[in-house]
Structure formats: C-alpha cells, structure tokens
Amino acid sequence: MCAGAGVAAELAMEAPMACGFGACFGCAVPLSGGGYMRLCVDGPVVNAARIETALVPGSGH
Amino acid sequence: MDLSVELCGLRLEHPVLNGSGTFDAIAAQRAFGAALLDEFPFSAFVSKTITPEPRVGNPPPRIFETPSGMINSIGLPNKGLDGFLDQDLPLLAELPVPLVVSVMGTSHGEFARLVEGVADRAEVAALELNVSCPNVESGCVMGSDPDETAALMEVVRPLSDKPLILKLTPNVSDVVAVAEAAERGGADALSLINTLGGIAFDPTSGRPFLGAGKGGLSGPAVRPVALAMTHDVAERVQVPLIGMGGIECGQDVLDFIAAGAHCVAVGTENFRDPLAATRIRHELRELLARRDIATTPTT
C-alpha cells in the first residue's frame, strides 16, 4: 500500500521464534530479492521494501 | 569429579554435546559475547547440517509449539560446502572444544563430496552423517532402511579415517536394523534420535500450519521414545551412542546413560535457554556426587 503511494514504510513484524538469537532459523521472513532474513537478529522492525509482504503469513495480503 | 569421556578417540571434558542445528556458536558469541567461550556449554560442538550447495530453507512459518515440544521444518538453510569452509569453519575452529561437522547429501555422490571436502580439514574432529533425507536416486530416506544405510557407508567409509557418526532417524519400523547396518558399515558412533515426523494444522484455515507442510517433533515430548530407541540400539551394537531427545536436566542425562548412551546431546532446550547445557552438566555432577560416583558412568 505504501509502495503504491511512494511512501517509505517500516513494519514491526512477528514470527514464531524458538531461540531468539539467530540459532534456529525459525523466524524466517521472505526477502523481496529472494531468500530469507531472520526476524530475531535482522528485525523485528523491517523496511517494507526489503521483504516480500505477499508471502508473509498473516500479513493480510 | 572427573566427568570426561572418550568418544571415538576424542577426549571430551564431559558427556554433554549439542544437537545439530540447535545452537549457533557464531550467533551465540555475537549475542552473549566472548565470555561464552570461557565456559562453553558443550564438550564438542556439532555444526548445523551443511549440504553441497547453499540452501535458503523452507517457506515460513517454520516452527509450531506443541505440548512439551515443538515441530520444526526449517529446511536446512546453509551456505553450502564452499561457503561453510570459507566463512564458518575458521570461526568454529576457534571454539575451545572439538568440532563435529554435520553433513547431508541427497545422493551417494553428494555425501562423498561433503565427506571428502570436510574430513581433510585439520579443524574438523569428526563428521556426523544426517541421513534423514531421501536419496534422489532411490526415493528412499537413506537412514530409513538398513540396505540404504549400508550402501551409503560403503561409499563414505573409505573416504576418511576420521570418526563418522551416523544420526539415526526414529521414523523407521526397525531402528535397530539400521543401527546394525551402520555399525557393520564402519560407523564409529551413532547418534539418536533425530526428530519424529509430525504435522500441525492452522485452526482457522484447516490447512497445515507450517510452510513446508509436515515437520519434525522435538523436545521433552519425544524423550521416552528416544530413551526406548537408545535402549534397544544399545543392546545390539558395540559402538558408542550419543543419546538425545528432550533432555532438560541432569536426571535426563542419567536416564540416557542408563538406557545405554555413552554421551548425550541437548537440543530443543537450547532454544529456551542457550546456557542450559551448562546447568545440566552441573546438575549431573551433583546427582553423581550424591551417589558417591566419581566419573561419568557407563553401562
């Protein structure tokens, strides 16, 4: 929505997390360029342009 | 008290290792600082599983909490063999304990490439073979069938003199038969158990919750299963066993030793408390002292 309006957006995300420090790779969020980031170490606030919101469960898309 | 044990010729300060993929020594140092190395929680470090080529892992969600456990389907994200050797191995080599590298291939050729690539490195003390994956050539999970396991050992055993630890999957009809095939094929030790196949459903959609559909159950919920398999395998093989499955405290370690394990590994509990293995070791020490036992018992 923000991308359509040309507005930068930062999203506070949630994901099921087991360890919380980068060990379990459980909290993966898909990146728009392919691959995943770990929300615990690379988030939880993420630049919306970095992530593939359409593929984030519960993102409402 | 001397808790030290010998595992395939490696002298370990105590019997508590980590389960592959449940503790990231590099990330933990970043999160908890270099002090982690002063009292490293494990007596040997087992790496996250590496594959020949890089993998990004499975689509999320990847984990689901269950009664006394969790189901995961992470999908083995890793940098691939070359990325591991270039980037991770130099960092893991600085750990104060022996390094066990976990490898998984989807064919004999892939396993051979991994074993050859990893075993040559002086920093690597031993290899763990993750055989809970289908062989693309036969369609059969390599660790699910004694003949598949024997065929794999025939390929990889001649490639290295370093200890080869085969990790048994519980998702089989006869784990003892697979264990015996691995021992006959020259495995130096067996670790057990990997996760139990499981699935969780999203209550609103009725569809599988995990992005990959099914996953693997771990945590205290699986401990009695792991103990039974450790017991059954120990009765039939001579090689040392690394027992794991839901270990949370010192008494759990004693239970695995009673079942016939030589060493143990802490897995899911590391997610709840990254220093759990240190606590578990101290609890083990105390339990043994109360029984006037001065060394790690063997059965």
Side-chain angles (χ1 to χ4, degrees), chain B residues 161-192:
Chain B
D161 292 332
K162 289 213 171 136
L164 296 179
I165 304 163
L166 188 124
K167 185 160 186 177
L168 295 167
T169 168
N171 304 314
V172 294
S173 51
D174 185 358
V175 71
V176 173
V178 176
E180 288 176 325
E183 182 181 52
R184 274 198 304 274
D188 299 283
L190 303 172
S191 51
L192 72 167

mmCIF file of all heavy atoms in Angstrom, chain B residues 161-192:
data_model
loop_
_atom_site.group_PDB
_atom_site.id
_atom_site.type_symbol
_atom_site.label_atom_id
_atom_site.label_comp_id
_atom_site.label_asym_id
_atom_site.label_seq_id
_atom_site.Cartn_x
_atom_site.Cartn_y
_atom_site.Cartn_z
ATOM 1 N N ASP B 161 39.569 -41.354 7.518
ATOM 2 C CA ASP B 161 39.877 -42.078 8.752
ATOM 3 C C ASP B 161 39.236 -41.412 9.955
ATOM 4 O O ASP B 161 39.265 -41.950 11.060
ATOM 5 C CB ASP B 161 41.398 -42.121 8.981
ATOM 6 C CG ASP B 161 42.082 -42.977 7.934
ATOM 7 O OD1 ASP B 161 41.419 -43.905 7.419
ATOM 8 O OD2 ASP B 161 43.259 -42.718 7.625
ATOM 9 N N LYS B 162 38.687 -40.213 9.739
ATOM 10 C CA LYS B 162 38.102 -39.506 10.873
ATOM 11 C C LYS B 162 36.822 -40.218 11.325
ATOM 12 O O LYS B 162 36.153 -40.877 10.529
ATOM 13 C CB LYS B 162 37.773 -38.063 10.463
ATOM 14 C CG LYS B 162 39.052 -37.250 10.273
ATOM 15 C CD LYS B 162 38.896 -35.813 10.649
ATOM 16 C CE LYS B 162 40.276 -35.160 10.642
ATOM 17 N NZ LYS B 162 40.279 -33.858 10.012
ATOM 18 N N PRO B 163 36.474 -40.045 12.599
ATOM 19 C CA PRO B 163 35.252 -40.700 13.098
ATOM 20 C C PRO B 163 34.021 -40.271 12.298
ATOM 21 O O PRO B 163 33.821 -39.083 12.046
ATOM 22 C CB PRO B 163 35.162 -40.211 14.545
ATOM 23 C CG PRO B 163 36.553 -39.811 14.917
ATOM 24 C CD PRO B 163 37.195 -39.328 13.661
ATOM 25 N N LEU B 164 33.216 -41.246 11.906
ATOM 26 C CA LEU B 164 31.938 -40.986 11.237
ATOM 27 C C LEU B 164 30.824 -41.381 12.204
ATOM 28 O O LEU B 164 30.755 -42.528 12.650
ATOM 29 C CB LEU B 164 31.826 -41.795 9.942
ATOM 30 C CG LEU B 164 32.827 -41.469 8.832
ATOM 31 C CD1 LEU B 164 32.591 -42.385 7.629
ATOM 32 C CD2 LEU B 164 32.733 -40.007 8.410
ATOM 33 N N ILE B 165 29.993 -40.403 12.533
ATOM 34 C CA ILE B 165 28.860 -40.632 13.438
ATOM 35 C C ILE B 165 27.601 -40.619 12.579
ATOM 36 O O ILE B 165 27.338 -39.642 11.886
ATOM 37 C CB ILE B 165 28.782 -39.506 14.490
ATOM 38 C CG1 ILE B 165 30.101 -39.390 15.261
ATOM 39 C CG2 ILE B 165 27.598 -39.738 15.432
ATOM 40 C CD1 ILE B 165 30.261 -38.071 16.021
ATOM 41 N N LEU B 166 26.845 -41.683 12.609
ATOM 42 C CA LEU B 166 25.611 -41.711 11.829
ATOM 43 C C LEU B 166 24.434 -41.368 12.739
ATOM 44 O O LEU B 166 24.276 -41.956 13.803
ATOM 45 C CB LEU B 166 25.414 -43.083 11.182
ATOM 46 C CG LEU B 166 24.240 -43.118 10.208
ATOM 47 C CD1 LEU B 166 24.696 -43.576 8.826
ATOM 48 C CD2 LEU B 166 23.121 -44.008 10.713
ATOM 49 N N LYS B 167 23.638 -40.383 12.298
ATOM 50 C CA LYS B 167 22.488 -39.961 13.116
ATOM 51 C C LYS B 167 21.246 -40.717 12.690
ATOM 52 O O LYS B 167 20.792 -40.601 11.554
ATOM 53 C CB LYS B 167 22.260 -38.456 12.989
ATOM 54 C CG LYS B 167 21.159 -37.964 13.929
ATOM 55 C CD LYS B 167 21.249 -36.489 14.178
ATOM 56 C CE LYS B 167 20.260 -36.016 15.219
ATOM 57 N NZ LYS B 167 20.392 -34.591 15.504
ATOM 58 N N LEU B 168 20.721 -41.479 13.625
ATOM 59 C CA LEU B 168 19.575 -42.333 13.314
ATOM 60 C C LEU B 168 18.277 -41.537 13.354
ATOM 61 O O LEU B 168 18.066 -40.701 14.238
ATOM 62 C CB LEU B 168 19.494 -43.468 14.332
ATOM 63 C CG LEU B 168 20.659 -44.465 14.320
ATOM 64 C CD1 LEU B 168 20.619 -45.327 15.577
ATOM 65 C CD2 LEU B 168 20.599 -45.347 13.074
ATOM 66 N N THR B 169 17.409 -41.831 12.413
ATOM 67 C CA THR B 169 16.070 -41.242 12.430
ATOM 68 C C THR B 169 15.109 -42.200 13.134
ATOM 69 O O THR B 169 15.206 -43.425 12.963
ATOM 70 C CB THR B 169 15.581 -40.934 11.005
ATOM 71 O OG1 THR B 169 14.172 -40.618 11.072
ATOM 72 C CG2 THR B 169 15.749 -42.119 10.060
ATOM 73 N N PRO B 170 14.183 -41.655 13.938
ATOM 74 C CA PRO B 170 13.217 -42.527 14.612
ATOM 75 C C PRO B 170 12.059 -42.922 13.700
ATOM 76 O O PRO B 170 11.216 -43.740 14.083
ATOM 77 C CB PRO B 170 12.709 -41.644 15.759
ATOM 78 C CG PRO B 170 12.792 -40.259 15.210
ATOM 79 C CD PRO B 170 14.004 -40.235 14.306
ATOM 80 N N ASN B 171 12.010 -42.333 12.504
ATOM 81 C CA ASN B 171 10.869 -42.560 11.614
ATOM 82 C C ASN B 171 11.074 -43.823 10.781
ATOM 83 O O ASN B 171 11.122 -43.788 9.550
ATOM 84 C CB ASN B 171 10.647 -41.332 10.726
ATOM 85 C CG ASN B 171 10.463 -40.081 11.569
ATOM 86 O OD1 ASN B 171 9.715 -40.083 12.540
ATOM 87 N ND2 ASN B 171 11.163 -39.029 11.223
ATOM 88 N N VAL B 172 11.258 -44.926 11.476
ATOM 89 C CA VAL B 172 11.544 -46.206 10.835
ATOM 90 C C VAL B 172 10.770 -47.298 11.563
ATOM 91 O O VAL B 172 10.351 -47.114 12.710
ATOM 92 C CB VAL B 172 13.056 -46.541 10.902
ATOM 93 C CG1 VAL B 172 13.864 -45.569 10.084
ATOM 94 C CG2 VAL B 172 13.555 -46.545 12.350
ATOM 95 N N SER B 173 10.617 -48.438 10.892
ATOM 96 C CA SER B 173 9.923 -49.537 11.566
ATOM 97 C C SER B 173 10.884 -50.300 12.469
ATOM 98 O O SER B 173 10.471 -50.880 13.461
ATOM 99 C CB SER B 173 9.276 -50.472 10.541
ATOM 100 O OG SER B 173 10.219 -50.849 9.571
ATOM 101 N N ASP B 174 12.186 -50.285 12.150
ATOM 102 C CA ASP B 174 13.134 -51.046 12.969
ATOM 103 C C ASP B 174 14.458 -50.288 13.070
ATOM 104 O O ASP B 174 15.344 -50.453 12.236
ATOM 105 C CB ASP B 174 13.346 -52.435 12.346
ATOM 106 C CG ASP B 174 14.221 -53.325 13.226
ATOM 107 O OD1 ASP B 174 14.687 -52.854 14.293
ATOM 108 O OD2 ASP B 174 14.433 -54.493 12.852
ATOM 109 N N VAL B 175 14.573 -49.463 14.095
ATOM 110 C CA VAL B 175 15.771 -48.622 14.220
ATOM 111 C C VAL B 175 17.010 -49.475 14.503
ATOM 112 O O VAL B 175 18.122 -49.129 14.096
ATOM 113 C CB VAL B 175 15.566 -47.538 15.313
ATOM 114 C CG1 VAL B 175 15.547 -48.128 16.706
ATOM 115 C CG2 VAL B 175 16.617 -46.443 15.213
ATOM 116 N N VAL B 176 16.805 -50.628 15.166
ATOM 117 C CA VAL B 176 17.950 -51.480 15.497
ATOM 118 C C VAL B 176 18.593 -52.032 14.223
ATOM 119 O O VAL B 176 19.818 -52.087 14.115
ATOM 120 C CB VAL B 176 17.507 -52.625 16.440
ATOM 121 C CG1 VAL B 176 18.644 -53.611 16.654
ATOM 122 C CG2 VAL B 176 17.046 -52.058 17.782
ATOM 123 N N ALA B 177 17.776 -52.386 13.239
ATOM 124 C CA ALA B 177 18.321 -52.933 11.994
ATOM 125 C C ALA B 177 19.177 -51.896 11.272
ATOM 126 O O ALA B 177 20.234 -52.222 10.717
ATOM 127 C CB ALA B 177 17.176 -53.407 11.089
ATOM 128 N N VAL B 178 18.731 -50.643 11.295
ATOM 129 C CA VAL B 178 19.513 -49.574 10.655
ATOM 130 C C VAL B 178 20.806 -49.349 11.437
ATOM 131 O O VAL B 178 21.887 -49.184 10.859
ATOM 132 C CB VAL B 178 18.684 -48.271 10.570
ATOM 133 C CG1 VAL B 178 19.528 -47.141 9.988
ATOM 134 C CG2 VAL B 178 17.425 -48.485 9.733
ATOM 135 N N ALA B 179 20.709 -49.367 12.767
ATOM 136 C CA ALA B 179 21.892 -49.174 13.609
ATOM 137 C C ALA B 179 22.927 -50.268 13.355
ATOM 138 O O ALA B 179 24.128 -49.994 13.233
ATOM 139 C CB ALA B 179 21.479 -49.165 15.084
ATOM 140 N N GLU B 180 22.452 -51.500 13.246
ATOM 141 C CA GLU B 180 23.378 -52.618 12.995
ATOM 142 C C GLU B 180 24.033 -52.493 11.623
ATOM 143 O O GLU B 180 25.226 -52.783 11.466
ATOM 144 C CB GLU B 180 22.627 -53.959 13.113
ATOM 145 C CG GLU B 180 22.269 -54.296 14.557
ATOM 146 C CD GLU B 180 21.435 -55.567 14.680
ATOM 147 O OE1 GLU B 180 20.600 -55.828 13.778
ATOM 148 O OE2 GLU B 180 21.607 -56.276 15.681
ATOM 149 N N ALA B 181 23.252 -52.040 10.638
ATOM 150 C CA ALA B 181 23.817 -51.850 9.293
ATOM 151 C C ALA B 181 24.888 -50.767 9.307
ATOM 152 O O ALA B 181 25.930 -50.891 8.665
ATOM 153 C CB ALA B 181 22.706 -51.496 8.309
ATOM 154 N N ALA B 182 24.639 -49.705 10.068
ATOM 155 C CA ALA B 182 25.620 -48.619 10.153
ATOM 156 C C ALA B 182 26.896 -49.105 10.827
ATOM 157 O O ALA B 182 28.004 -48.798 10.390
ATOM 158 C CB ALA B 182 25.020 -47.443 10.921
ATOM 159 N N GLU B 183 26.739 -49.884 11.895
ATOM 160 C CA GLU B 183 27.921 -50.397 12.593
ATOM 161 C C GLU B 183 28.715 -51.344 11.692
ATOM 162 O O GLU B 183 29.941 -51.235 11.591
ATOM 163 C CB GLU B 183 27.490 -51.116 13.873
ATOM 164 C CG GLU B 183 28.676 -51.637 14.684
ATOM 165 C CD GLU B 183 28.244 -52.380 15.945
ATOM 166 O OE1 GLU B 183 27.415 -53.299 15.845
ATOM 167 O OE2 GLU B 183 28.734 -52.034 17.028
ATOM 168 N N ARG B 184 28.018 -52.235 11.017
ATOM 169 C CA ARG B 184 28.703 -53.155 10.100
ATOM 170 C C ARG B 184 29.426 -52.390 8.998
ATOM 171 O O ARG B 184 30.482 -52.797 8.539
ATOM 172 C CB ARG B 184 27.684 -54.122 9.452
ATOM 173 C CG ARG B 184 27.385 -55.364 10.261
ATOM 174 C CD ARG B 184 26.745 -56.451 9.388
ATOM 175 N NE ARG B 184 25.539 -55.978 8.722
ATOM 176 C CZ ARG B 184 24.313 -56.003 9.276
ATOM 177 N NH1 ARG B 184 24.154 -56.471 10.497
ATOM 178 N NH2 ARG B 184 23.273 -55.545 8.614
ATOM 179 N N GLY B 185 28.826 -51.264 8.590
ATOM 180 C CA GLY B 185 29.410 -50.457 7.521
ATOM 181 C C GLY B 185 30.553 -49.574 7.982
ATOM 182 O O GLY B 185 31.133 -48.839 7.187
ATOM 183 N N GLY B 186 30.885 -49.628 9.268
ATOM 184 C CA GLY B 186 32.060 -48.917 9.745
ATOM 185 C C GLY B 186 31.793 -47.612 10.457
ATOM 186 O O GLY B 186 32.729 -46.849 10.697
ATOM 187 N N ALA B 187 30.546 -47.333 10.819
ATOM 188 C CA ALA B 187 30.280 -46.123 11.610
ATOM 189 C C ALA B 187 30.997 -46.243 12.947
ATOM 190 O O ALA B 187 31.011 -47.316 13.561
ATOM 191 C CB ALA B 187 28.775 -45.946 11.830
ATOM 192 N N ASP B 188 31.614 -45.143 13.400
ATOM 193 C CA ASP B 188 32.366 -45.162 14.655
ATOM 194 C C ASP B 188 31.475 -44.898 15.860
ATOM 195 O O ASP B 188 31.842 -45.216 16.989
ATOM 196 C CB ASP B 188 33.460 -44.098 14.619
ATOM 197 C CG ASP B 188 34.431 -44.364 13.496
ATOM 198 O OD1 ASP B 188 35.269 -45.263 13.651
ATOM 199 O OD2 ASP B 188 34.329 -43.701 12.438
ATOM 200 N N ALA B 189 30.338 -44.259 15.623
ATOM 201 C CA ALA B 189 29.387 -43.956 16.690
ATOM 202 C C ALA B 189 28.031 -43.717 16.034
ATOM 203 O O ALA B 189 27.942 -43.487 14.825
ATOM 204 C CB ALA B 189 29.811 -42.724 17.484
ATOM 205 N N LEU B 190 26.996 -43.783 16.852
ATOM 206 C CA LEU B 190 25.646 -43.490 16.367
ATOM 207 C C LEU B 190 25.050 -42.423 17.270
ATOM 208 O O LEU B 190 25.257 -42.445 18.487
ATOM 209 C CB LEU B 190 24.761 -44.743 16.419
ATOM 210 C CG LEU B 190 25.281 -45.964 15.645
ATOM 211 C CD1 LEU B 190 24.410 -47.186 15.946
ATOM 212 C CD2 LEU B 190 25.275 -45.677 14.140
ATOM 213 N N SER B 191 24.326 -41.482 16.672
ATOM 214 C CA SER B 191 23.600 -40.512 17.485
ATOM 215 C C SER B 191 22.116 -40.719 17.226
ATOM 216 O O SER B 191 21.700 -41.045 16.114
ATOM 217 C CB SER B 191 24.036 -39.080 17.161
ATOM 218 O OG SER B 191 23.981 -38.829 15.769
ATOM 219 N N LEU B 192 21.322 -40.572 18.289
ATOM 220 C CA LEU B 192 19.895 -40.794 18.154
ATOM 221 C C LEU B 192 19.173 -40.116 19.322
ATOM 222 O O LEU B 192 19.727 -40.068 20.413
ATOM 223 C CB LEU B 192 19.573 -42.296 18.103
ATOM 224 C CG LEU B 192 19.692 -43.158 19.371
ATOM 225 C CD1 LEU B 192 19.018 -44.487 19.121
ATOM 226 C CD2 LEU B 192 21.138 -43.375 19.812
#
